[in-house]
Amino acid sequence: MLVVLKPQVPEREANDVATRLRMFGVAVHRTDHEGRVRLCAVGDGVPVDWDAVRTWPSVDKVEKIGRPFELGSRAFHPQPTLISVGRVTIGSDQLVLMAGPCSIEGEEQAFTIAAAVARAGATVMRGGAYKPRTSPYAFQGLGEEGLRIMRRAADAHGLAVVSEVMDSQQVGLVARYADILQIGARNMQNYALLREVGHSDRPVLLKRGLAATIEEWLMAAEHVMSQGNSQVILCERGIRTFETYTRNTLDLNAIPVVKELSHLPVIVDPSHGTGIRDKVAPMARASIACGADGLIIEVHHDPDHALSDGAQSLYPAQFDELVKQIRTIAEVVGRRV
Ligand code: PEP
Ligand code: MN
């Protein structure tokens, strides 16, 4: 339920309403907009006497949550959400550039790529240690050893770390090494996992599911937020369509649509979105032109021998050139790298 307080209610009274709501056993999320406090009460069916709440002196109105997602909606929270990670504030006028290998393969690989992407202007290193592979016989990632290597490589070059967590039981472990927890496309509707990262204090990079509508994606974000973690970064990474030329169809429509519906930052992954190295840069440029808050891109110094996704990985020199182009496009759309 949405509890809208009267205009200019004193802080003490607003806190009092929130406390009294919590006493019913519901979680309370608050936003302040144009002098009004709005409280979103999430209760998983906890009984609350809403008729009584309506009569509380500071309460203006009590409404049913009409939208399938509320906490993530612009209507509830009109200002953009800003998420600070390392040297960058995601969602601000500064674009976030996340780059690195698909999988962490070893010390030399991770340090070489970290150095290259940092030099080019990335602020976050990407890299998987727990890999969701379509084939059980493909490389599954180095696990905790991979996380340890990536943390050291990132630290050596002043980068933050984003890495995928595949299972609710892994959240604590991955959060010890990574600054951002990535939820992969295949797990976008793994609600137990979404709830678990919802209890973490780490920002969550939520990839769009392979066949998820925008609304389903925003509802997945809502699962995370409803557990108390409002630091969700959405990531468009291409969806399944009838088109087979590219690995996926990168849905750039989603960027302006999500920007209208939600206050959450949204970035684009043109690597998985296209699956083809020479299609990554044009789609990365288009992503920034249409309003994305940043990019996550696979880069490998020796993609022919990469253990996963070599065909879509940029060479470091290509990434460097792309960042230069992104700087120019950013300026046109009022952003910066
Ligand atoms: C990845 O980032 O390497 C990955 C597996 O992405 P997705 O979940 O989008 O397929
Ligand atoms: Mn990959």
Side-chain angles (χ1 to χ4, degrees):
M1 294 290 258
L2 197 59
V3 179
V4 183
L5 304 192
K6 291 180 178 153
Q8 317 301 342
V9 160
E11 188 55 25
R12 190 179 41 77
E13 283 179 33
N15 283 335
D16 191 47
V17 174
T19 307
R20 289 172 73 189
L21 287 172
R22 285 193 187 100
M23 279 159 61
F24 284 113
V26 294
V28 178
H29 305 265
R30 167 177 172 161
T31 62
D32 297 45
H33 182 57
E34 290 172 353
R36 266 187 197 245
V37 173
R38 288 190 271 187
L39 302 170
C40 180
V42 184
D44 286 345
V46 173
V48 177
D49 184 352
W50 293 111
D51 287 332
V53 174
R54 273 190 191 93
T55 66
W56 295 356
S58 1
V59 172
D60 185 11
K61 49 191 173 185
V62 176
E63 295 168 344
K64 255 197 146 68
I65 294 176
R67 283 173 287 273
F69 55 93
E70 180 66 30
L71 300 172
S73 73
R74 277 249 185 229
F76 179 64
H77 188 292
Q79 311 88 339
T81 282
L82 303 178
I83 301 176
S84 290
V85 181
R87 293 181 282 125
V88 65
T89 301
I90 303 170
S92 71
D93 65 343
Q94 186 184 6
L95 300 172
V96 62
L97 298 180
M98 307 184 183
C102 178
S103 304
I104 299 298
E105 300 167 5
E107 295 260 349
E108 197 192 329
Q109 177 245 23
F111 276 78
T112 305
I113 298 171
V117 300
R119 202 180 317 116
T123 51
V124 181
M125 179 176 186
R126 65 143 290 144
Y130 295 96
K131 296 300 301 176
R133 302 307 300 280
T134 304
S135 164
Y137 308 118
F139 177 60
Q140 306 289 308
L142 294 180
E144 187 171 2
E145 180 58 12
L147 290 171
R148 218 176 274 131
I149 293 171
M150 177 159 55
R151 184 74 258 175
R152 283 207 311 274
D155 284 345
H157 297 282
L159 299 167
V161 163
V162 57
S163 198
E164 177 160 355
V165 50
M166 293 214 303
D167 190 292
S168 350
Q169 274 147 25
Q170 271 169 7
V171 173
L173 171 71
V174 177
R176 277 206 289 284
Y177 297 94
D179 302 289
I180 304 174
L181 304 174
Q182 176 173 326
I183 301 295
R186 290 156 191 80
N187 266 321
M188 190 206 81
Q189 285 176 313
N190 179 341
Y191 298 117
L193 178 58
L194 296 178
R195 292 172 81 89
E196 197 57 41
V197 296
H199 293 132
S200 172
D201 60 1
R202 293 275 187 256
V204 173
L205 178 74
L206 180 62
K207 292 221 173 176
R208 180 176 179 182
L210 278 74
T213 64
I214 291 172
E215 195 166 280
E216 287 163 344
W217 186 22
L218 290 170
M219 283 195 269
E222 195 79 4
H223 274 271
V224 178
M225 299 180 83
S226 70
Q227 300 309 303
N229 189 349
S230 53
Q231 301 189 90
V232 179
I233 306 151
L234 298 165
C235 177
E236 164 62 42
R237 48 77 72 203
I239 49 175
R240 276 278 162 90
T241 67
F242 54 81
E243 180 53 65
T244 55
Y245 190 88
T246 50
R247 179 175 177 181
N248 290 294
T249 297
L250 189 64
D251 179 15
L252 290 188
N253 289 347
I255 305 306
V257 171
V258 165
K259 283 281 167 199
E260 183 185 3
L261 295 176
S262 176
H263 53 86
L264 296 172
V266 55
I267 69 166
V268 175
D269 174 349
S271 307
H272 294 86
T274 63
I276 305 169
R277 181 176 306 126
D278 68 5
K279 304 293 176 281
V280 171
M283 298 316 288
R285 296 192 294 260
S287 303
I288 298 307
C290 74
D293 294 300
L295 296 162
I296 180 165
I297 294 185
E298 289 183 340
V299 176
H300 201 291
H301 64 301
D302 184 13
D304 287 348
H305 296 102
L307 297 181
S308 60
D309 287 349
Q312 66 194 33
S313 299
L314 296 187
Y315 286 95
Q318 291 177 308
F319 180 65
D320 192 66
E321 177 59 26
L322 174 61
V323 174
K324 290 193 179 102
Q325 297 169 343
I326 295 297
R327 281 186 207 284
T328 307
I329 296 169
E331 212 174 298
V332 177
V333 292
R335 312 293 288 267
R336 67 195 164 85
V337 172

